Structure formats: C-alpha cells, structure tokens
Amino acid sequence: MFDIGGVFISMRMAFVIPLLISTFLTLSPAQQVAVDMMPLPTEYKLGRGALKFDESFSVSLSGYKEDRLFRAVERLLTNASKQTGIPLQAKLTGRRMATLTVHTEHGSKPVEEPDEDESYSLEVDASGARLSAATPLGAMHGLQTFLQLIAAGPGGFHVPAISIHDRPRFSWRGLLIDVSRHFMPVEVLRRNLDGMEAVKLNVFHWHLSDDQGFRVESRKFPKLTGMGSDGLYYTQQQVRDLVTYARDRGIRVIPEFDMPGHTTSWFVGYPELSSGPGPYQIERRWGVFDPAIDPTRDHTYKFLDDFIGEMSKLFPDHYFHIGGDEVNGKQWAANGRIQSFMRQHGIENTQQLQTYFTHRLQKLVSKHHKAMVGWDEILSPDIPKAIVIQSWRGQDSLASAAQQGYGGILSSGYYVDLNWPAGRHYAVDPLSGAAAHLSRQEKQKIFGGEAAMWSEYVDPENVDSRIWPRTAAIAERLWSPENVTDPQSMYTRMYQLSWRLDFFALTHNTNYLPMLERIAAGRDAASLRTLADVVEPVKDYAREELALTPATQLTPLNRLVDAARPESETARLFSRTADQFLAGRCQDAALALELRALLENWRKVGRALEARSADSSLLREVAPVSGGLATIATAGIAALDAIGRQEPASAERLAAQAASIQAAQKPTSAQLLLPLAVPIQKLVEAGGNACSGR
Ligand code: ACM
C-alpha cells in the first residue's frame, strides 16, 4: 500500500491544501489542556496554541526507512482514527504537505538489544509536528507519544504545542505473562503487546512452561506438548509470528523455560527426566511441588542440549530465561542414586546440587549463543558474569548481584497478580532500597524491571484487567526520570490512558460489565456494578487462605472477585474527598452533601443486593459483602449526622461503630475487600472529635 520510493503517507491529498488554512488553532491559556502522556517524557515544555487534528491529518517519513516504520505509521493512523472517530485514509503525498513529519537517522540492530538508542524528539506547534529519532525504536515511541497527545477540546481534536526530548531511564522494561497456569491464546498476547507499545515497554517475558502446562511446540520432543499441554500450546509458526509482531512494536521476546523445578508438565511425556518414580500428570493445583529435573544424569544434559538448541533458533533474542526458582529439593533428597552422586561429588545439600545443575545449564545456554537469565536462586559463586538475575524475592538480592558484577532486573514489587494499588507499585524503584547505596558503576548493572502477570487467577477473559491500567504505572517508573513520583499525577494520567487502551482492543474495561451481568443473572447489573466498583480482590496470597476449597486450573473464574478491579477508583476518589472534607474541619457543606449522596446510594444498593441472594449462586456468595457495604455506609451517614448536628458521638457509640466497620470489612470466602471502610472509619472518628466542636 505504501510506496517506499515515494516516501510519503498522507490522507485525502486532494483536500490537504484547502484544509491547511484551518489547521491553525489557538487555545487561550485557560483552554490549555493538561497533557496526559504516560510514561511522562524526560523533558517537555508546553508551548502556546495547538495543532488541529482532523481528517486532513497526514504523515511523511524521511531519512532511514524500513517496512516496520510504515506499519508503525499505519498503526498510528488506525489508532488515532479509532480514538477520535475521525476517518483517516492513507494516501501518498509530498513531505511539505504532511502534518507530522517523521525523520529517522538509521536502522536498529537486526535482533533488538537492550542498549539501543530509543530516544526521540517531538516538536509540535500550530503549523505541524516534527518527530525525529536515531532509530525506528525511538520513532515508534514518539508516534505513541503523539497518539496520547491527541485530545478533545472546545475547538475540536487537537495536539497541544509542545517540545519533547525523551529517552528511557532503564533499558529493560518488561512484562511477564504466565501462559502455563492458564493458557493465553495468541490474540490475548497480541493485544497486550499493543498495550506494551503504548506505554513503551520493550521486553515481553513469555513464561512458557510450568507444572500446569508446557506451551510451545518442540519438534524434537513432541510429547512435551503432546502430553503436557491439554492441546493448549503455540505452534512454532505462531511463535515466529508473535516474535515478528513484537519486533514491529520495538519489543523483545524472551522465553522462559522454568527448570529444574516447576517442571511436572515436562515429565508427563518424559518421566525419565525427573528425579522421582513417576508416572506424572499435568498438575492442576497451585503451589510449589516436588518434581524436579534429575541433575545427575548425562541423559538430562543431552536432552536439554537438544531442546535449548531447538528453542534458541525459534527465539532470536540474545537472552534465554531458565527460571530456577522454588526448588524444594524433596525428590533429590528421596532418591538414593542422586544422594550417592552428591556424596561422590562432594555436594553437601540440595541447594548445592541446584548450583551444580545451573552451572551445567549455563554452559549449554552459552553453547547455543545465548545469555542466561534466571530468578534470584541461580546466583551462585563462580557463575559467569554474563548471566542476568531477575529478582522476585526482594531488592537486596538485586543489589548484591550488582555488587558481584551481575546484571539484574527487578520484579519484586511489580507482581500485578497480587492486586496492589498502582501507587504501591509506582513507589518501587529499581535503584531504591539496598540499590540506592551502590556505586555508579554497580548501578549500571541494574538494567530495569518487569511487571509479572502470574496466571493462577486469570484467564483470557480477565487477564487484561489485572495487567491494565496498573502496569502503566510500572512502565512509567522504568521509563521516566527518577523524580517523577507524584501519585496524583500518575493516577490522573493512568486513567486517561486506560480508556485510550480500549481502542487497542484491550478488554480491562469492556469485559467488566458482561462479567457482572453473568453474576447478576442478567437482572439489574447496574446495582451489582455499584457494589463491584467499591470492592477489591484480597491482596497478596490471601485468596489461597480464604478459599473454602483450594482453587485449581479447572476452577471457573466467574465470581465477583474475578470481575472486580484490583484497585477501586471509586473508593480511592471517595477517600480523597473524605480527606479533603476532614482537612477543612468538616466545614465544607458541598463536600458533606457529596459524601452523603454516595453513602446513601451504597446503603440502598447494599441492602437491595443482599436481598437478591437467591437469584444466583454467584450473587449469594457476595450477599455478606453487600450487607457489609450497607453497614459501613450506614456508619458513615451516622458520622455525617453527628458532624452536622455538632453533637459528638459518645465513646461507646464510636466503639460500636468501629467494631461494626471492622466486622464488615473482614474478608470472607468471597475473597473481597471493602476499601471504603478506611475513609468511613476516619469520618466516624471525626464524628467523635475535632469536627464535632469538641
Ligand atoms: C517466582 O515468583 N517464583 C518467580
């Protein structure tokens, strides 16, 4: 469709000249819109006025050119068109006509590497936009920034006048998706790669094997998927296509084959690799299991040599992740042959045996021209410095690895399966904690970090809602300057990004209502939404502790805990309003009214849903949570009453209310939290003191 010789891409060329006259739009300072870029650029300065964005919009490419850049421009046009509803039709035009000119200096490496130049500059004024970058990677980042800058205003869609110089703080900005616990079809991965491109993440870490499934076709060892995947795996062609899709978006793909533990699915077809008697079945439960690869047999290394050889051709990236986490050593300790091997070789414990395995594995990975990446546990004396440590256990191990000269990436603090608020992830910096005391040179060994989407409690329907929009906060931490830390600004921009991501076909927002309709049995899902909007799934690993029966791979993920957002924006905003009200010593009558209206609605909806528990088993489960919402809302209303009447509640009454709030927020087997309990408790306390005239 695009003629590389012709160089230029534009829309509706015939109309370009007349429309140029109307391409200038001036905004008064009062009309100046906030810029919602995420991640926030390294340096930017808003100018005066804006560039009009309408159907005359056109783009030209100059300098270095390759197909990938043309496709990136095509994506910009498609996404800008979806985002604005303005039809944009690509046709060739001359450069002087283009609204946005993109200049690229030179190509990037044939296989992307972590140290490449990803910088770009973008200048926008009323007459046009100029994007320039050293490589296509920078150009693509700049196009995403431009897309985020397109905003609606009183005069129509426009891009504010701005000057941007941008480059990443860290070179390794990743997202791990576990496709073993729950398989994720290719289209799920594709839309998440689109989301990654939007926030300038550049590493897709593909966790391809674990106890619960082996997910990539091996021609050499067909029983890996033949017996270890339930037929849910990626063909080699699908892998190649996804790697191409990722490269098109400036994203590296790193496969992880977790070993020697987390390997039950390998042993279903190849029990001879294991350290126990077998036979094996695909593991359906969650947790850490005993089966582990036998590190003492030559057969194991012959198998892994062949396997890594095959996979290293399929995955072009220089890095190859071998896992290495959570080996409990029980199969090794229980195997007489392995025990005698350890004695013969002076190996004193199973941890040392894992080190022996890691060293031999490293040689195989290196033989196939890859650098090994592994979790904290692989760090051991004398392992070659070319390996990279991915820290899941804490920042200290990363700092210690850097001191010893190893490269590292941080994932501790970035586990999005734990349902933390975005602000908590945002506050975790790869160079804070123990890493803050490293020398300049040692700090350079910390390449960045990765968000991790472990998939015990997500499936293709709700996985996006755990990744997005919170992963954007982690992406900003890894891209933007260290001093970009204001959580209010982050939240504002994150929610602006969130709806834009709907146009990338991500389903974090669009699957919410259908999931609620299912629970509500099709009746008045709007009320259930009111409840869903103010609950959160329990945090960390509390879901395991609260389950009536342990969840498995076959447990449906169709409950309110699966639909509810990890972080309630409604509760966060209520909390902010309550804080504002309390900071003003409860004098602001408008705020009091706003809080009261919300609380009254929650009381009404909570009671109504509680009464509907016979409608569906899924609704019955949340009846206590609905009741809890009504209870805390009632306490909040009573607090506002006390404040309004200037009659401090008695100590007994305060204690009783605190106890009822405490009881209402105690998580049950519904595995849900009521984050409103915290601000409501503050209102109750205010009802007993400062605000009540005491
Ligand atoms: C891990 O979370 N076990 C890497």
Side-chain angles (χ1 to χ4, degrees), residues 41-82:
T42 315
E43 291 170 44
Y44 70 96
K45 195 163 177 291
L46 275 169
R48 286 178 63 82
L51 173 68
K52 193 170 174 63
F53 184 90
D54 62 18
E55 63 276 14
S56 72
F57 179 71
S58 60
V59 184
S60 75
L61 289 175
S62 66
Y64 172 80
K65 287 178 270 323
E66 62 176 33
D67 286 357
R68 186 162 61 151
L69 279 168
F70 285 85
R71 288 193 292 269
V73 170
E74 235 183 312
R75 271 200 307 287
L76 172 77
L77 298 173
T78 303
N79 289 327
S81 182
K82 284 188 195 167

Side-chain angles (χ1 to χ4, degrees), residues 204-420:
F204 171 49
H205 174 160
W206 205 350
H207 185 82
L208 281 161
S209 69
D210 215 300
D211 297 302
Q212 295 82 358
F214 193 98
R215 304 296 184 197
V216 64
E217 175 190 20
S218 164
R219 303 256 164 93
K220 289 212 162 100
F221 303 105
K223 287 189 284 183
L224 286 170
T225 54
M227 298 178 74
S229 78
D230 302 304
L232 299 171
Y233 65 93
Y234 310 100
T235 64
Q236 295 204 347
Q237 190 55 46
Q238 286 177 315
V239 169
R240 278 190 284 270
D241 290 348
L242 200 83
V243 167
T244 303
Y245 190 92
R247 179 172 167 80
D248 245 18
R249 287 149 182 79
I251 298 169
R252 300 161 48 209
V253 177
I254 298 181
E256 178 185 354
F257 296 99
D258 201 349
M259 54 185 124
H262 288 282
T263 36
T264 309
S265 64
W266 305 50
F267 303 153
V268 186
Y270 299 95
E272 64 276 17
L273 277 178
S274 83
S275 309
Y280 295 91
Q281 292 180 331
I282 296 173
E283 183 55 70
R284 303 298 177 190
R285 298 165 300 168
W286 311 140
V288 175
F289 301 97
D290 301 345
I293 287 176
D294 186 339
T296 67
R297 298 180 61 207
D298 286 341
H299 166 80
T300 296
Y301 299 101
K302 175 75 183 69
F303 183 106
L304 291 176
D305 189 7
D306 288 348
F307 175 74
I308 294 167
E310 184 183 13
M311 291 301 133
S312 57
K313 289 191 187 68
L314 190 56
F315 293 93
D317 200 83
H318 181 55
Y319 291 88
F320 194 93
H321 203 304
I322 57 81
D325 57 320
E326 297 185 308
V327 182
N328 70 15
K330 286 188 188 168
Q331 271 199 344
W332 295 343
N335 182 320
R337 191 175 41 74
I338 292 176
Q339 289 298 304
S340 84
F341 177 93
M342 288 168 67
R343 279 191 297 277
Q344 273 169 28
H345 290 77
I347 296 171
E348 289 169 16
N349 52 43
T350 54
Q351 202 178 343
Q352 283 184 13
L353 185 58
Q354 183 175 353
T355 299
Y356 170 85
F357 173 76
T358 305
H359 283 238
R360 290 196 62 174
L361 190 58
Q362 191 278 326
K363 289 193 178 69
L364 294 179
V365 171
S366 177
K367 174 184 159 188
H368 294 289
H369 314 292
K370 302 285 184 185
M372 186 166 93
V373 190
W375 299 102
D376 307 59
E377 288 95 325
I378 71 161
L379 187 59
S380 51
D382 305 325
I383 191 120
K385 302 292 184 207
I387 69 160
V388 172
I389 300 293
Q390 181 166 15
S391 173
W392 71 282
R393 295 198 296 198
Q395 283 182 300
D396 289 1
S397 59
L398 198 62
S400 150
Q403 273 169 333
Q404 296 169 58
Y406 296 99
I409 47 180
L410 184 68
S411 274
S412 168
Y414 299 143
Y415 272 29
V416 291
D417 61 319
L418 301 184
N419 295 312
W420 291 7

Side-chain angles (χ1 to χ4, degrees), residues 22 167 169 187 258 282 303 337 358 452 469 510 550 560 601 633:
S22 63
R167 63 190 167 273
R169 179 172 168 224
E187 71 262 21
D258 201 349
I282 296 173
F303 183 106
R337 191 175 41 74
T358 305
T510 53
L560 189 57
N601 189 43

Side-chain angles (χ1 to χ4, degrees), residues 1 80 94-95 100 112 164 172 188 207 272 330 419 433 578 588:
M1 179 191 330
R95 182 178 176 187
L100 169 64
E112 192 175 327
I164 297 173
W172 191 307
V188 175
H207 185 82
E272 64 276 17
K330 286 188 188 168
N419 295 312
D588 190 326

